[in-house]
Amino acid sequence: MNVLIDNFDTYAQGFLGTVELTVYSSVLALVLGFVMASFRVAPIGSLRMFGTAWVTVLRNTPLTLLFFAVLLGLPRFGLVLPFEVFAVLALGCYTSAFICEALRSGINTVPKGQGEAARSLGMTFGQSLSLVVLPQAFRSVIPPVGSTLIALAKNSAIAGAFSVTELLGTYKTLSELGYNIVWTFVWIAVGYLIITLSISALFHLMERHWGVAR
């Protein structure tokens, strides 16, 4: 317990850093995932190709490699931003590929007649997707999207290797101070458990209100 009490500020700073990374990256992943899912089911071939390429590349690229590409590659092209922003970009873009596939699977569960009926009423593709198809698809994808965001929270640990303040990185400071490494990691694990259980509880409530009854 002394490890936590004596270094509460260090743990709190790392915990808040992980929470911020998770929140900002989740928002970016959800927005990009929605856009790419729309592209993948669009009637325009070029958009479908772009969405497919986005998902294929990001899903098959190791996240650590993506961090290197974003944090070390983009500055070479003149884009200089805080490392926290680069970390959000890497996490958000990577996770968006999985969000996209979850949303696309939900879209495929909606009967085609729903979209055809919307178009027969004069709705455009965007209107039928956003007003008719996605609201129905959303109900069936709440669990997989929640699981994906939980994975994002744990993946944020990679950011600590790139000078970004987050929870796992606190072990370096405490190890240098001579604290027991086992108890150091125990409290780090507790911190991640709080974050992931909070996300799980949130999506459980959403599923109870809007989810499809099984």
Side-chain angles (χ1 to χ4, degrees), residues 10-43:
T10 301
Y11 273 112
Q13 191 174 28
F15 180 84
L16 291 176
T18 295
V19 170
E20 289 181 356
L21 275 176
T22 301
V23 171
Y24 295 143
S25 300
S26 296
V27 171
L28 179 61
L30 289 169
V31 171
L32 287 177
F34 167 78
V35 172
M36 293 304 153
S38 302
F39 282 5
R40 294 213 65 185
V41 297

PDB file of all heavy atoms in Angstrom, residues 10-43:
ATOM      1  N   THR A  10       2.184  10.534  -8.747  1.00  0.00           N
ATOM      2  CA  THR A  10       2.730   9.907  -9.957  1.00  0.00           C
ATOM      3  C   THR A  10       1.704   8.983 -10.598  1.00  0.00           C
ATOM      4  O   THR A  10       1.489   9.006 -11.818  1.00  0.00           O
ATOM      5  CB  THR A  10       3.994   9.105  -9.615  1.00  0.00           C
ATOM      6  OG1 THR A  10       4.965   9.986  -9.031  1.00  0.00           O
ATOM      7  CG2 THR A  10       4.589   8.473 -10.865  1.00  0.00           C
ATOM      8  N   TYR A  11       1.048   8.176  -9.762  1.00  0.00           N
ATOM      9  CA  TYR A  11       0.010   7.283 -10.284  1.00  0.00           C
ATOM     10  C   TYR A  11      -1.168   8.067 -10.865  1.00  0.00           C
ATOM     11  O   TYR A  11      -1.707   7.722 -11.907  1.00  0.00           O
ATOM     12  CB  TYR A  11      -0.496   6.353  -9.174  1.00  0.00           C
ATOM     13  CG  TYR A  11       0.310   5.091  -9.010  1.00  0.00           C
ATOM     14  CD1 TYR A  11       1.080   4.871  -7.870  1.00  0.00           C
ATOM     15  CD2 TYR A  11       0.304   4.102  -9.993  1.00  0.00           C
ATOM     16  CE1 TYR A  11       1.813   3.704  -7.711  1.00  0.00           C
ATOM     17  CE2 TYR A  11       1.034   2.938  -9.850  1.00  0.00           C
ATOM     18  CZ  TYR A  11       1.791   2.748  -8.700  1.00  0.00           C
ATOM     19  OH  TYR A  11       2.526   1.587  -8.566  1.00  0.00           O
ATOM     20  N   ALA A  12      -1.565   9.123 -10.148  1.00  0.00           N
ATOM     21  CA  ALA A  12      -2.704   9.921 -10.614  1.00  0.00           C
ATOM     22  C   ALA A  12      -2.408  10.574 -11.956  1.00  0.00           C
ATOM     23  O   ALA A  12      -3.276  10.624 -12.845  1.00  0.00           O
ATOM     24  CB  ALA A  12      -3.047  10.990  -9.581  1.00  0.00           C
ATOM     25  N   GLN A  13      -1.185  11.072 -12.109  1.00  0.00           N
ATOM     26  CA  GLN A  13      -0.801  11.711 -13.373  1.00  0.00           C
ATOM     27  C   GLN A  13      -0.825  10.695 -14.517  1.00  0.00           C
ATOM     28  O   GLN A  13      -1.326  10.975 -15.606  1.00  0.00           O
ATOM     29  CB  GLN A  13       0.592  12.327 -13.232  1.00  0.00           C
ATOM     30  CG  GLN A  13       0.988  13.245 -14.370  1.00  0.00           C
ATOM     31  CD  GLN A  13       2.319  13.936 -14.122  1.00  0.00           C
ATOM     32  OE1 GLN A  13       3.181  13.411 -13.408  1.00  0.00           O
ATOM     33  NE2 GLN A  13       2.494  15.118 -14.673  1.00  0.00           N
ATOM     34  N   GLY A  14      -0.292   9.494 -14.265  1.00  0.00           N
ATOM     35  CA  GLY A  14      -0.317   8.448 -15.292  1.00  0.00           C
ATOM     36  C   GLY A  14      -1.723   7.982 -15.594  1.00  0.00           C
ATOM     37  O   GLY A  14      -2.076   7.751 -16.759  1.00  0.00           O
ATOM     38  N   PHE A  15      -2.550   7.849 -14.544  1.00  0.00           N
ATOM     39  CA  PHE A  15      -3.934   7.417 -14.717  1.00  0.00           C
ATOM     40  C   PHE A  15      -4.707   8.415 -15.568  1.00  0.00           C
ATOM     41  O   PHE A  15      -5.405   8.034 -16.518  1.00  0.00           O
ATOM     42  CB  PHE A  15      -4.595   7.258 -13.345  1.00  0.00           C
ATOM     43  CG  PHE A  15      -6.024   6.807 -13.402  1.00  0.00           C
ATOM     44  CD1 PHE A  15      -6.344   5.462 -13.525  1.00  0.00           C
ATOM     45  CD2 PHE A  15      -7.062   7.722 -13.327  1.00  0.00           C
ATOM     46  CE1 PHE A  15      -7.669   5.037 -13.575  1.00  0.00           C
ATOM     47  CE2 PHE A  15      -8.382   7.320 -13.378  1.00  0.00           C
ATOM     48  CZ  PHE A  15      -8.686   5.969 -13.495  1.00  0.00           C
ATOM     49  N   LEU A  16      -4.578   9.703 -15.251  1.00  0.00           N
ATOM     50  CA  LEU A  16      -5.282  10.735 -16.017  1.00  0.00           C
ATOM     51  C   LEU A  16      -4.771  10.791 -17.455  1.00  0.00           C
ATOM     52  O   LEU A  16      -5.539  11.049 -18.390  1.00  0.00           O
ATOM     53  CB  LEU A  16      -5.120  12.097 -15.345  1.00  0.00           C
ATOM     54  CG  LEU A  16      -5.844  12.254 -14.000  1.00  0.00           C
ATOM     55  CD1 LEU A  16      -5.529  13.609 -13.375  1.00  0.00           C
ATOM     56  CD2 LEU A  16      -7.357  12.107 -14.178  1.00  0.00           C
ATOM     57  N   GLY A  17      -3.465  10.562 -17.631  1.00  0.00           N
ATOM     58  CA  GLY A  17      -2.911  10.536 -18.984  1.00  0.00           C
ATOM     59  C   GLY A  17      -3.516   9.426 -19.818  1.00  0.00           C
ATOM     60  O   GLY A  17      -3.863   9.625 -20.998  1.00  0.00           O
ATOM     61  N   THR A  18      -3.687   8.247 -19.213  1.00  0.00           N
ATOM     62  CA  THR A  18      -4.312   7.128 -19.923  1.00  0.00           C
ATOM     63  C   THR A  18      -5.779   7.407 -20.221  1.00  0.00           C
ATOM     64  O   THR A  18      -6.279   7.078 -21.305  1.00  0.00           O
ATOM     65  CB  THR A  18      -4.180   5.833 -19.093  1.00  0.00           C
ATOM     66  OG1 THR A  18      -2.791   5.490 -18.992  1.00  0.00           O
ATOM     67  CG2 THR A  18      -4.931   4.677 -19.744  1.00  0.00           C
ATOM     68  N   VAL A  19      -6.480   8.019 -19.257  1.00  0.00           N
ATOM     69  CA  VAL A  19      -7.891   8.360 -19.471  1.00  0.00           C
ATOM     70  C   VAL A  19      -8.032   9.344 -20.638  1.00  0.00           C
ATOM     71  O   VAL A  19      -8.900   9.185 -21.504  1.00  0.00           O
ATOM     72  CB  VAL A  19      -8.510   8.955 -18.189  1.00  0.00           C
ATOM     73  CG1 VAL A  19      -9.893   9.545 -18.478  1.00  0.00           C
ATOM     74  CG2 VAL A  19      -8.614   7.895 -17.108  1.00  0.00           C
ATOM     75  N   GLU A  20      -7.176  10.370 -20.665  1.00  0.00           N
ATOM     76  CA  GLU A  20      -7.240  11.350 -21.750  1.00  0.00           C
ATOM     77  C   GLU A  20      -6.954  10.694 -23.096  1.00  0.00           C
ATOM     78  O   GLU A  20      -7.657  10.945 -24.084  1.00  0.00           O
ATOM     79  CB  GLU A  20      -6.244  12.483 -21.486  1.00  0.00           C
ATOM     80  CG  GLU A  20      -6.643  13.401 -20.347  1.00  0.00           C
ATOM     81  CD  GLU A  20      -5.641  14.518 -20.135  1.00  0.00           C
ATOM     82  OE1 GLU A  20      -4.598  14.529 -20.828  1.00  0.00           O
ATOM     83  OE2 GLU A  20      -5.896  15.384 -19.278  1.00  0.00           O
ATOM     84  N   LEU A  21      -5.910   9.866 -23.146  1.00  0.00           N
ATOM     85  CA  LEU A  21      -5.593   9.163 -24.388  1.00  0.00           C
ATOM     86  C   LEU A  21      -6.769   8.308 -24.848  1.00  0.00           C
ATOM     87  O   LEU A  21      -7.117   8.288 -26.035  1.00  0.00           O
ATOM     88  CB  LEU A  21      -4.365   8.276 -24.191  1.00  0.00           C
ATOM     89  CG  LEU A  21      -2.984   8.891 -24.354  1.00  0.00           C
ATOM     90  CD1 LEU A  21      -1.909   7.863 -24.014  1.00  0.00           C
ATOM     91  CD2 LEU A  21      -2.779   9.423 -25.755  1.00  0.00           C
ATOM     92  N   THR A  22      -7.390   7.614 -23.906  1.00  0.00           N
ATOM     93  CA  THR A  22      -8.503   6.734 -24.232  1.00  0.00           C
ATOM     94  C   THR A  22      -9.699   7.520 -24.752  1.00  0.00           C
ATOM     95  O   THR A  22     -10.312   7.155 -25.767  1.00  0.00           O
ATOM     96  CB  THR A  22      -8.916   5.915 -22.998  1.00  0.00           C
ATOM     97  OG1 THR A  22      -7.794   5.140 -22.542  1.00  0.00           O
ATOM     98  CG2 THR A  22     -10.077   4.985 -23.325  1.00  0.00           C
ATOM     99  N   VAL A  23     -10.040   8.605 -24.071  1.00  0.00           N
ATOM    100  CA  VAL A  23     -11.213   9.398 -24.463  1.00  0.00           C
ATOM    101  C   VAL A  23     -11.016  10.028 -25.833  1.00  0.00           C
ATOM    102  O   VAL A  23     -11.862   9.886 -26.737  1.00  0.00           O
ATOM    103  CB  VAL A  23     -11.511  10.486 -23.414  1.00  0.00           C
ATOM    104  CG1 VAL A  23     -12.587  11.446 -23.924  1.00  0.00           C
ATOM    105  CG2 VAL A  23     -11.964   9.848 -22.100  1.00  0.00           C
ATOM    106  N   TYR A  24      -9.894  10.737 -26.020  1.00  0.00           N
ATOM    107  CA  TYR A  24      -9.667  11.424 -27.294  1.00  0.00           C
ATOM    108  C   TYR A  24      -9.518  10.436 -28.444  1.00  0.00           C
ATOM    109  O   TYR A  24     -10.050  10.663 -29.540  1.00  0.00           O
ATOM    110  CB  TYR A  24      -8.428  12.315 -27.203  1.00  0.00           C
ATOM    111  CG  TYR A  24      -8.564  13.456 -26.235  1.00  0.00           C
ATOM    112  CD1 TYR A  24      -7.493  13.872 -25.449  1.00  0.00           C
ATOM    113  CD2 TYR A  24      -9.770  14.138 -26.079  1.00  0.00           C
ATOM    114  CE1 TYR A  24      -7.612  14.921 -24.554  1.00  0.00           C
ATOM    115  CE2 TYR A  24      -9.900  15.183 -25.186  1.00  0.00           C
ATOM    116  CZ  TYR A  24      -8.822  15.573 -24.424  1.00  0.00           C
ATOM    117  OH  TYR A  24      -8.949  16.609 -23.537  1.00  0.00           O
ATOM    118  N   SER A  25      -8.804   9.347 -28.204  1.00  0.00           N
ATOM    119  CA  SER A  25      -8.614   8.353 -29.261  1.00  0.00           C
ATOM    120  C   SER A  25      -9.925   7.657 -29.602  1.00  0.00           C
ATOM    121  O   SER A  25     -10.185   7.326 -30.767  1.00  0.00           O
ATOM    122  CB  SER A  25      -7.576   7.313 -28.830  1.00  0.00           C
ATOM    123  OG  SER A  25      -6.331   7.912 -28.569  1.00  0.00           O
ATOM    124  N   SER A  26     -10.769   7.431 -28.593  1.00  0.00           N
ATOM    125  CA  SER A  26     -12.065   6.789 -28.836  1.00  0.00           C
ATOM    126  C   SER A  26     -12.955   7.660 -29.706  1.00  0.00           C
ATOM    127  O   SER A  26     -13.620   7.166 -30.619  1.00  0.00           O
ATOM    128  CB  SER A  26     -12.765   6.496 -27.501  1.00  0.00           C
ATOM    129  OG  SER A  26     -12.046   5.563 -26.738  1.00  0.00           O
ATOM    130  N   VAL A  27     -12.966   8.960 -29.417  1.00  0.00           N
ATOM    131  CA  VAL A  27     -13.772   9.883 -30.224  1.00  0.00           C
ATOM    132  C   VAL A  27     -13.291   9.861 -31.677  1.00  0.00           C
ATOM    133  O   VAL A  27     -14.097   9.759 -32.615  1.00  0.00           O
ATOM    134  CB  VAL A  27     -13.702  11.314 -29.658  1.00  0.00           C
ATOM    135  CG1 VAL A  27     -14.365  12.305 -30.615  1.00  0.00           C
ATOM    136  CG2 VAL A  27     -14.377  11.379 -28.289  1.00  0.00           C
ATOM    137  N   LEU A  28     -11.969   9.938 -31.867  1.00  0.00           N
ATOM    138  CA  LEU A  28     -11.421   9.911 -33.222  1.00  0.00           C
ATOM    139  C   LEU A  28     -11.732   8.585 -33.912  1.00  0.00           C
ATOM    140  O   LEU A  28     -12.114   8.557 -35.092  1.00  0.00           O
ATOM    141  CB  LEU A  28      -9.910  10.138 -33.176  1.00  0.00           C
ATOM    142  CG  LEU A  28      -9.166  10.106 -34.519  1.00  0.00           C
ATOM    143  CD1 LEU A  28      -9.680  11.206 -35.447  1.00  0.00           C
ATOM    144  CD2 LEU A  28      -7.657  10.255 -34.299  1.00  0.00           C
ATOM    145  N   ALA A  29     -11.588   7.481 -33.182  1.00  0.00           N
ATOM    146  CA  ALA A  29     -11.844   6.164 -33.764  1.00  0.00           C
ATOM    147  C   ALA A  29     -13.309   6.003 -34.163  1.00  0.00           C
ATOM    148  O   ALA A  29     -13.611   5.438 -35.226  1.00  0.00           O
ATOM    149  CB  ALA A  29     -11.451   5.073 -32.770  1.00  0.00           C
ATOM    150  N   LEU A  30     -14.221   6.494 -33.336  1.00  0.00           N
ATOM    151  CA  LEU A  30     -15.646   6.383 -33.646  1.00  0.00           C
ATOM    152  C   LEU A  30     -16.013   7.211 -34.871  1.00  0.00           C
ATOM    153  O   LEU A  30     -16.779   6.762 -35.737  1.00  0.00           O
ATOM    154  CB  LEU A  30     -16.481   6.817 -32.442  1.00  0.00           C
ATOM    155  CG  LEU A  30     -16.467   5.849 -31.247  1.00  0.00           C
ATOM    156  CD1 LEU A  30     -17.106   6.499 -30.031  1.00  0.00           C
ATOM    157  CD2 LEU A  30     -17.190   4.559 -31.595  1.00  0.00           C
ATOM    158  N   VAL A  31     -15.458   8.423 -34.960  1.00  0.00           N
ATOM    159  CA  VAL A  31     -15.750   9.291 -36.107  1.00  0.00           C
ATOM    160  C   VAL A  31     -15.190   8.673 -37.390  1.00  0.00           C
ATOM    161  O   VAL A  31     -15.905   8.533 -38.400  1.00  0.00           O
ATOM    162  CB  VAL A  31     -15.179  10.701 -35.889  1.00  0.00           C
ATOM    163  CG1 VAL A  31     -15.293  11.535 -37.173  1.00  0.00           C
ATOM    164  CG2 VAL A  31     -15.897  11.404 -34.744  1.00  0.00           C
ATOM    165  N   LEU A  32     -13.909   8.297 -37.364  1.00  0.00           N
ATOM    166  CA  LEU A  32     -13.295   7.707 -38.551  1.00  0.00           C
ATOM    167  C   LEU A  32     -13.934   6.362 -38.894  1.00  0.00           C
ATOM    168  O   LEU A  32     -14.116   6.037 -40.071  1.00  0.00           O
ATOM    169  CB  LEU A  32     -11.792   7.523 -38.330  1.00  0.00           C
ATOM    170  CG  LEU A  32     -10.940   8.793 -38.349  1.00  0.00           C
ATOM    171  CD1 LEU A  32      -9.482   8.462 -38.034  1.00  0.00           C
ATOM    172  CD2 LEU A  32     -11.028   9.490 -39.700  1.00  0.00           C
ATOM    173  N   GLY A  33     -14.273   5.576 -37.866  1.00  0.00           N
ATOM    174  CA  GLY A  33     -14.913   4.285 -38.107  1.00  0.00           C
ATOM    175  C   GLY A  33     -16.251   4.447 -38.803  1.00  0.00           C
ATOM    176  O   GLY A  33     -16.587   3.692 -39.721  1.00  0.00           O
ATOM    177  N   PHE A  34     -17.025   5.455 -38.374  1.00  0.00           N
ATOM    178  CA  PHE A  34     -18.316   5.739 -39.016  1.00  0.00           C
ATOM    179  C   PHE A  34     -18.106   6.148 -40.475  1.00  0.00           C
ATOM    180  O   PHE A  34     -18.815   5.673 -41.368  1.00  0.00           O
ATOM    181  CB  PHE A  34     -19.039   6.844 -38.250  1.00  0.00           C
ATOM    182  CG  PHE A  34     -20.209   7.427 -38.974  1.00  0.00           C
ATOM    183  CD1 PHE A  34     -21.419   6.754 -39.028  1.00  0.00           C
ATOM    184  CD2 PHE A  34     -20.110   8.645 -39.628  1.00  0.00           C
ATOM    185  CE1 PHE A  34     -22.509   7.286 -39.713  1.00  0.00           C
ATOM    186  CE2 PHE A  34     -21.186   9.190 -40.308  1.00  0.00           C
ATOM    187  CZ  PHE A  34     -22.387   8.503 -40.356  1.00  0.00           C
ATOM    188  N   VAL A  35     -17.130   7.025 -40.708  1.00  0.00           N
ATOM    189  CA  VAL A  35     -16.873   7.492 -42.077  1.00  0.00           C
ATOM    190  C   VAL A  35     -16.436   6.333 -42.964  1.00  0.00           C
ATOM    191  O   VAL A  35     -16.933   6.162 -44.091  1.00  0.00           O
ATOM    192  CB  VAL A  35     -15.802   8.607 -42.067  1.00  0.00           C
ATOM    193  CG1 VAL A  35     -15.387   8.960 -43.504  1.00  0.00           C
ATOM    194  CG2 VAL A  35     -16.320   9.848 -41.356  1.00  0.00           C
ATOM    195  N   MET A  36     -15.517   5.508 -42.469  1.00  0.00           N
ATOM    196  CA  MET A  36     -15.016   4.395 -43.288  1.00  0.00           C
ATOM    197  C   MET A  36     -16.074   3.328 -43.515  1.00  0.00           C
ATOM    198  O   MET A  36     -16.133   2.713 -44.589  1.00  0.00           O
ATOM    199  CB  MET A  36     -13.774   3.780 -42.634  1.00  0.00           C
ATOM    200  CG  MET A  36     -12.579   4.709 -42.632  1.00  0.00           C
ATOM    201  SD  MET A  36     -12.164   5.267 -44.306  1.00  0.00           S
ATOM    202  CE  MET A  36     -11.374   6.836 -43.953  1.00  0.00           C
ATOM    203  N   ALA A  37     -16.932   3.109 -42.525  1.00  0.00           N
ATOM    204  CA  ALA A  37     -18.033   2.160 -42.728  1.00  0.00           C
ATOM    205  C   ALA A  37     -18.988   2.673 -43.801  1.00  0.00           C
ATOM    206  O   ALA A  37     -19.493   1.897 -44.622  1.00  0.00           O
ATOM    207  CB  ALA A  37     -18.775   1.937 -41.412  1.00  0.00           C
ATOM    208  N   SER A  38     -19.218   3.982 -43.795  1.00  0.00           N
ATOM    209  CA  SER A  38     -20.053   4.585 -44.835  1.00  0.00           C
ATOM    210  C   SER A  38     -19.417   4.419 -46.205  1.00  0.00           C
ATOM    211  O   SER A  38     -20.107   4.126 -47.197  1.00  0.00           O
ATOM    212  CB  SER A  38     -20.276   6.070 -44.535  1.00  0.00           C
ATOM    213  OG  SER A  38     -20.885   6.258 -43.280  1.00  0.00           O
ATOM    214  N   PHE A  39     -18.097   4.613 -46.265  1.00  0.00           N
ATOM    215  CA  PHE A  39     -17.386   4.432 -47.526  1.00  0.00           C
ATOM    216  C   PHE A  39     -17.505   2.992 -48.023  1.00  0.00           C
ATOM    217  O   PHE A  39     -17.700   2.743 -49.215  1.00  0.00           O
ATOM    218  CB  PHE A  39     -15.909   4.779 -47.360  1.00  0.00           C
ATOM    219  CG  PHE A  39     -15.623   6.255 -47.349  1.00  0.00           C
ATOM    220  CD1 PHE A  39     -16.636   7.197 -47.388  1.00  0.00           C
ATOM    221  CD2 PHE A  39     -14.305   6.724 -47.275  1.00  0.00           C
ATOM    222  CE1 PHE A  39     -16.377   8.558 -47.379  1.00  0.00           C
ATOM    223  CE2 PHE A  39     -14.031   8.084 -47.263  1.00  0.00           C
ATOM    224  CZ  PHE A  39     -15.067   8.998 -47.314  1.00  0.00           C
ATOM    225  N   ARG A  40     -17.403   2.039 -47.110  1.00  0.00           N
ATOM    226  CA  ARG A  40     -17.373   0.628 -47.501  1.00  0.00           C
ATOM    227  C   ARG A  40     -18.710   0.135 -48.048  1.00  0.00           C
ATOM    228  O   ARG A  40     -18.744  -0.882 -48.758  1.00  0.00           O
ATOM    229  CB  ARG A  40     -16.945  -0.244 -46.322  1.00  0.00           C
ATOM    230  CG  ARG A  40     -15.508   0.005 -45.876  1.00  0.00           C
ATOM    231  CD  ARG A  40     -14.863  -1.243 -45.349  1.00  0.00           C
ATOM    232  NE  ARG A  40     -14.716  -2.243 -46.401  1.00  0.00           N
ATOM    233  CZ  ARG A  40     -14.260  -3.478 -46.181  1.00  0.00           C
ATOM    234  NH1 ARG A  40     -13.930  -3.854 -44.963  1.00  0.00           N
ATOM    235  NH2 ARG A  40     -14.150  -4.333 -47.170  1.00  0.00           N
ATOM    236  N   VAL A  41     -19.787   0.814 -47.709  1.00  0.00           N
ATOM    237  CA  VAL A  41     -21.098   0.398 -48.238  1.00  0.00           C
ATOM    238  C   VAL A  41     -21.647   1.415 -49.241  1.00  0.00           C
ATOM    239  O   VAL A  41     -22.798   1.312 -49.662  1.00  0.00           O
ATOM    240  CB  VAL A  41     -22.111   0.200 -47.091  1.00  0.00           C
ATOM    241  CG1 VAL A  41     -21.653  -0.915 -46.167  1.00  0.00           C
ATOM    242  CG2 VAL A  41     -22.336   1.489 -46.299  1.00  0.00           C
ATOM    243  N   ALA A  42     -20.816   2.397 -49.615  1.00  0.00           N
ATOM    244  CA  ALA A  42     -21.264   3.442 -50.543  1.00  0.00           C
ATOM    245  C   ALA A  42     -21.430   2.877 -51.955  1.00  0.00           C
ATOM    246  O   ALA A  42     -20.764   1.913 -52.340  1.00  0.00           O
ATOM    247  CB  ALA A  42     -20.255   4.587 -50.562  1.00  0.00           C
ATOM    248  N   PRO A  43     -22.307   3.485 -52.747  1.00  0.00           N
ATOM    249  CA  PRO A  43     -22.502   3.018 -54.127  1.00  0.00           C
ATOM    250  C   PRO A  43     -21.387   3.481 -55.069  1.00  0.00           C
ATOM    251  O   PRO A  43     -21.398   3.122 -56.250  1.00  0.00           O
ATOM    252  CB  PRO A  43     -23.848   3.649 -54.517  1.00  0.00           C
ATOM    253  CG  PRO A  43     -23.953   4.877 -53.667  1.00  0.00           C
ATOM    254  CD  PRO A  43     -23.267   4.546 -52.380  1.00  0.00           C
TER     255      PRO A  43
END
